[in-house]
Amino acid sequence: TRAEFQTNQHLGSSYVVSAGVQAGLLWNIDPKARSFLADRFFLGGSTSVRGFEHHGIGPRDGNDSIGGDAFYAAGVSLLTPLPLVTTDAIRGHVWANAGQLALLDSRGLKRSHSDVHRFLMSPSAAVGFGLVYNHSMVRAELSLCFPITATLTDRPKPGLQFGLGMTFL
């Protein structure tokens, strides 16, 4: 199960605050069975949690991301007009986002109170700013990213990050 919510609020005539949250849970009926890789959630990258590599948050097997059975992510951004730019299609944006991803088995979140508390209170996070181009079919972003917290298995990606997609956190 996956849920997401996003809201956009205009501040005056040219500024927009956008906030979004996402969460998901893949619950296996048999507590001894592991979830399949193709069914799991993945986090990280320009369209989910900026400031991290694509699928760069969460558990890994060597260099490979193995996804997770539970996740949450949240983000907020301020879209601003740019000097000397007369179109609303190109804007500046300042943003912050965070998220966490875990397996629900012996390799990750073991459903104990302390594991759940750590999962909820220790997200990977990044802040940054950049440019946004909104087309009717797609959105493009170029952001300068500054990861501020990460777990040992995460792959932070400070510096420039380009994103192209239909939905962004």
Side-chain angles (χ1 to χ4, degrees):
T1 303
R2 178 187 174 112
E4 57 184 278
F5 173 79
Q6 185 170 8
T7 185
N8 299 294
Q9 296 295 322
H10 290 271
L11 303 176
S13 62
S14 300
Y15 294 86
V16 177
V17 173
S18 178
V21 294
Q22 303 173 348
L25 179 64
L26 178 61
W27 193 268
N28 207 329
I29 294 172
D30 179 0
K32 295 178 184 177
R34 290 185 175 175
S35 58
F36 294 105
L37 181 69
D39 294 331
R40 294 183 187 151
F41 300 107
F42 293 87
L43 269 184
S46 59
T47 60
S48 69
V49 180
R50 296 174 193 92
F52 293 84
E53 289 183 7
H54 180 69
H55 295 177
I57 294 178
R60 306 191 88 68
D61 181 10
N63 286 326
D64 300 321
S65 173
I66 58 173
D69 302 318
F71 88 96
Y72 66 90
V76 64
S77 65
L78 174 66
L79 296 168
T80 66
L82 294 170
L84 306 175
V85 176
T86 58
T87 178
D88 283 339
I90 301 173
R91 299 176 145 244
H93 77 134
V94 178
W95 54 265
N97 54 202
Q100 180 65 280
L101 180 72
L103 290 166
L104 293 179
D105 63 19
S106 61
R107 299 168 294 166
L109 193 61
K110 298 179 186 80
R111 302 179 190 164
S112 72
H113 180 71
S114 63
D115 281 349
V116 171
H117 184 266
R118 185 172 47 253
F119 173 73
L120 293 174
M121 303 309 290
S122 303
S124 301
V127 296
F129 62 92
L131 298 173
V132 173
Y133 172 70
N134 275 317
H135 183 271
S136 61
M137 300 292 288
V138 70
R139 174 173 163 160
E141 289 187 1
L142 182 62
S143 293
L144 187 57
C145 304
F146 303 96
I148 53 177
T149 61
T151 67
L152 293 175
T153 59
D154 290 344
R155 298 273 174 89
K157 186 179 179 183
L160 285 177
Q161 189 172 48
F162 176 75
L164 187 65
M166 297 181 74
T167 59
F168 285 75
L169 180 64

